[in-house]
Amino acid sequence: MFPAVSAGSATIEVIEPATERVLEQLPELGAEDVDAAVAKAKAAFPAWRAVAPAERAALLHRLADAVAERNGELATLEARNAGKPIGNARGEIGMVAECFRYYAGGVERLTGKTIPVAGGVDMTFREPMGVIGMITPWNFPLVIAAWKLAPALAAANTVVLKPAMLTPLTAIEFEKLALEAGLPEGVLNVVPGSGSVCGQRLVEHPDVAKIAFTGSTEVGRGIAEAAAATIKRVTLELGGKSANVVFADADVEKAARAAPYAVFDNSGQDCCARSRIMVEKPAVDEFLAALRDEVEGMKVGDPLDESTVMGPLISAGHREEVASFVPDDAPVAIRGSAPEGPGFWFPPTVLSPVSNDDRAAREEIFGPVAAVIPFEGEAEAVALANDTIYGLSGSVWTRDGAKALRMARAIDTGVLSINSNSSVRVSTPFGGFKQSGIGRELGPDAMEHYTEVKNVYYATEE
Ligand code: NAP
Ligand code: MG
């Protein structure tokens, strides 16, 4: 099913986190494989940009249909490789198809402007950039790739995608599906290789016009530095440490019952995780009681079991990192269940009370560990919510609409929900303030991030 491993060549083992078994062996790729993929993408670009817009849109719709038809198969592969509950995986693959449909609809709506000037006509064109390099993380493997692929291809670019080597399998399948759906050879090239070799080469390659990256702030910083050498465009979707602010005048029970899913979804391996649960002091006891009931009832286990709500962590190494946030003297207030091994299990854990200065409140844990931080009043809520290097998502829970909007305006974050934990929709912009990133994905403007503006002046005077 996957690229053949030739005898004697080095291999990479892809592990199933729920069982610790080897799911697939892949050949280890090198910088020369990236160079070959970039050359293919570069060669395919002139013909792809010449495809009539309606035809390009039709191809992307066909690809969306193919993904939708294969949802069950792709979701099972994603669930096994990333260790995520099968229901969530189906939702993610559903969003992949939805994303391609949305940007297929944008192909014929990507327009320039005409601008009044003296002596002629001035017009702008949105030109494709050429070859786009994409580097994606392991937590939402195919769907995060789709957020980049769909607008980039819709805007007539060609692509080299380097998925995370912990979870490359759905991207490899997707490349085949795209060819079957009729995408011309070379338009989409998947290079399942390591970040330090293949990712690095993609960022340095002189024929790559832009890097669209999702991953950690640390690696993102390195990518921005390396991209500077060739003045590459970059968009970066990075880490987060988002606040879930619950006022005492909210429906506290509802907020508490929703809170676990805002941080323990995907085993907490979610850039949008609202891992700082800030609760107004008079509501803390009521909140913790409902939170305990909800967390202790969470079913943690086999990702392929339909009733599972939380699977394992991605790797043994990552579990060790997560565990370092729960030392023996940590204020563990709530601990859910987790199966015995094999599998990289970690129970959903709530620390309370936590100060915003504690390590568990400052660093992205990227695991099922939440910190409850008590606060007093609106001003302190804003100060604490903004006291972080990140600014990706967040929620505010209150029945006071004006207060909700004051908070929404005051919190430095790219995405905020009121009385909800919703973060991501195909049709609305997503991305971060501060060290959570540069640029926005999804929504009506994402295609523009995969274009250059060209200004043309046509003199009309005799
Ligand atoms: P990561 O360690 O930064 O890796 C992300 C990608 O970068 C992987 O494909 C990785 O390759 C590659 N990479 C590593 N070193 C590289 C280098 N020197 N040059 C080029 N590429 C390199 O992130 P992760 O551990 O996969 O994912 C977790 C992080 O992603 C978290 O911080 C999370 O917040 C963030 N995230 C952000 C968003 C968002 O939209 N804002 C969404 C999801 C996740 P290999 O791993 O294959 O070696
Ligand atoms: Mg990492």
Side-chain angles (χ1 to χ4, degrees):
M1 173 154 99
F2 294 101
V5 175
S6 52
S9 67
T11 57
I12 292 182
E13 288 183 338
V14 181
I15 305 293
E16 179 172 35
T19 62
E20 303 186 30
R21 285 200 293 260
V22 177
L23 198 53
E24 199 62 54
Q25 285 208 334
L26 298 173
E28 191 173 335
L29 303 183
E32 65 286 1
D33 298 294
V34 174
D35 291 353
V38 172
K40 276 176 78 180
K42 189 180 177 186
F45 175 61
W48 179 239
R49 80 179 295 191
V51 170
E55 197 183 321
R56 195 161 56 242
L59 271 168
L60 297 180
H61 273 298
R62 220 177 296 153
L63 182 48
D65 291 344
V67 170
E69 275 160 30
R70 301 268 292 275
N71 183 302
E73 194 185 318
L74 288 165
T76 302
L77 192 58
E78 199 82 295
R80 291 188 68 188
N81 192 178
K84 62 178 72 228
I86 183 69
N88 295 22
R90 277 197 294 266
E92 288 172 29
I93 303 300
M95 193 191 198
V96 171
E98 197 192 326
C99 193
F100 273 87
R101 291 208 174 95
Y102 182 78
Y103 289 107
V107 173
E108 294 176 282
R109 292 179 177 83
L110 186 66
T111 55
K113 294 182 171 135
T114 55
I115 300 168
V117 289
V121 175
D122 195 283
M123 58 201 127
T124 65
F125 293 87
R126 286 266 170 197
E127 303 287 12
M129 293 172 150
V131 179
I132 309 289
M134 301 179 178
I135 301 176
T136 49
W138 47 260
N139 57 341
F140 297 107
L142 192 58
V143 73
I144 283 181
W147 297 358
K148 304 177 194 320
L149 288 168
L153 294 172
N157 300 280
T158 57
V159 171
V160 176
L161 165 66
K162 192 217 85 62
M165 281 318 286
L166 288 167
T167 59
L169 301 183
T170 47
I172 294 171
E173 279 303 291
F174 183 81
E175 184 185 32
K176 293 182 209 158
L177 216 62
L179 286 173
E180 280 167 35
L183 208 70
E185 182 85 32
V187 169
L188 164 62
N189 306 273
V190 175
V191 181
S194 74
S196 55
V197 175
C198 293
Q200 186 76 25
R201 177 61 187 157
L202 197 55
V203 176
E204 288 168 356
H205 202 296
D207 289 339
V208 173
K210 170 182 169 159
I211 293 288
F213 172 78
T214 298
S216 61
T217 295
E218 191 188 349
V219 172
R221 191 175 293 121
I223 284 177
E225 280 174 21
T230 46
I231 315 292
K232 257 185 201 60
R233 286 81 181 116
V234 282
T235 44
L236 304 173
E237 297 288 357
L238 309 176
K241 192 72 200 176
S242 298
N244 190 0
V245 182
V246 182
F247 285 98
D249 64 4
D251 182 339
V252 172
E253 161 103 18
K254 188 176 173 194
R257 293 203 177 273
Y261 308 99
V263 48
F264 301 145
D265 253 3
N266 214 43
S267 304
Q269 303 165 129
D270 181 347
C271 53
C272 291
R274 287 142 168 89
S275 51
R276 291 187 297 147
I277 305 177
M278 294 171 36
V279 185
E280 202 168 22
K281 280 182 181 161
V284 168
D285 290 344
E286 183 191 352
F287 185 91
L288 281 176
L291 184 68
R292 172 171 294 107
D293 190 49
E294 199 65 35
V295 171
E296 289 178 351
M298 281 177 76
K299 183 156 179 228
V300 181
D302 180 6
L304 297 181
D305 181 332
E306 294 286 345
S307 63
T308 291
V309 296
M310 196 181 108
L313 291 170
I314 191 69
S315 67
H318 186 51
R319 181 172 55 186
E320 233 170 84
E321 274 171 46
V322 171
S324 78
F325 286 89
V326 192
D328 289 342
D329 60 351
V332 175
I334 304 168
R335 201 189 309 253
S337 69
E340 299 289 311
F344 309 123
W345 305 102
F346 198 91
T349 303
V350 178
L351 307 178
S352 178
V354 172
S355 149
N356 200 53
D357 297 324
D358 294 347
R359 181 171 170 243
R362 303 217 70 78
E363 295 178 26
E364 184 180 45
I365 301 174
F366 224 56
V369 180
V372 173
I373 304 168
F375 72 91
E376 262 173 297
E378 205 175 318
E380 191 184 14
V382 171
L384 289 174
N386 286 340
D387 180 17
T388 168
I389 60 167
Y390 297 110
L392 189 55
S393 77
S395 292
V396 174
W397 296 78
T398 171
R399 287 190 173 98
D400 178 340
K403 179 158 76 179
L405 285 176
R406 282 196 302 274
M407 290 294 294
R409 295 301 303 274
I411 297 178
D412 301 328
T413 188
V415 173
L416 187 119
S417 337
I418 297 165
N419 298 330
S420 159
N421 296 319
S422 157
S423 295
V424 174
R425 288 159 299 270
V426 165
S427 58
T428 60
F430 176 78
F433 278 35
K434 303 195 279 188
Q435 293 188 35
S436 287
I438 299 175
R440 293 292 178 274
E441 299 195 295
L442 302 174
D445 304 325
M447 276 174 72
E448 294 182 2
H449 286 299
Y450 294 98
T451 64
E452 292 282 3
V453 175
K454 182 183 287 169
N455 187 57
V456 174
Y457 174 73
Y458 196 145
T460 53
E461 285 177 352
E462 303 253 355

